[in-house]
Amino acid sequence: MKKIYDLLCKLETIICGIFLILVVVLVFLSALTRKFNIPMQKSLDVAQLLFAWLAFIGADIALRQEKLVGVDIFTSKMSKKANGICRIISHLLMIALLVVFVIKGFDLTMNSWDRSFQSLKLSYACVTMSLPVGSLLMILSTLTLIAKDIRMIRGEN
């Protein structure tokens, strides 16, 4: 199971890197061609699609690597065990919020199924699907962080 999760993590990182490069290139090309009065609306729509996925997959990468913004003014003064318990409670609250994002995200996706991009023959649901999928990935990452915290509290690490 760990090998599959590690493969998923590597795949997410590769996808984010590719999407970031594509978004930058597409927006740059769009700005450049607009300067010569040759608008490229499709490139902006594709960039919007890629950026939505980039944001949510990137959020999962940041969460997994524990690079999200946090305030540790109180927890830094706690014992290791108390800090671990605090982190587990925080992660459980995060999972509760992410479950809401998954449910509401799928609702949003179903409601936007008939909506399409201006220039692409593609459903806007392809963009809104990034919310529930990204949230599911973050739930998985949060569960692994909880397991890590439990091992730390038990003194297994």
Side-chain angles (χ1 to χ4, degrees), residues 98-109:
L98 289 168
V99 167
V100 172
F101 286 171
V102 169
I103 293 166
K104 295 298 182 182
F106 277 119
D107 287 345
L108 180 64
T109 299

Side-chain angles (χ1 to χ4, degrees), residues 82-128:
N83 192 355
I85 291 169
C86 230
R87 286 171 46 90
I88 289 171
I89 292 169
S90 173
H91 288 136
L92 289 172
L93 291 171
M94 192 181 299
I95 287 173
L97 180 64
L98 289 168
V99 167
V100 172
F101 286 171
V102 169
I103 293 166
K104 295 298 182 182
F106 277 119
D107 287 345
L108 180 64
T109 299
M110 297 314 291
N111 290 335
S112 63
W113 201 261
D114 293 332
R115 180 179 171 201
S116 63
F117 283 94
Q118 291 178 351
S119 63
L120 302 175
K121 292 184 168 105
L122 192 62
S123 172
Y124 200 74
C126 294
V127 172
T128 57

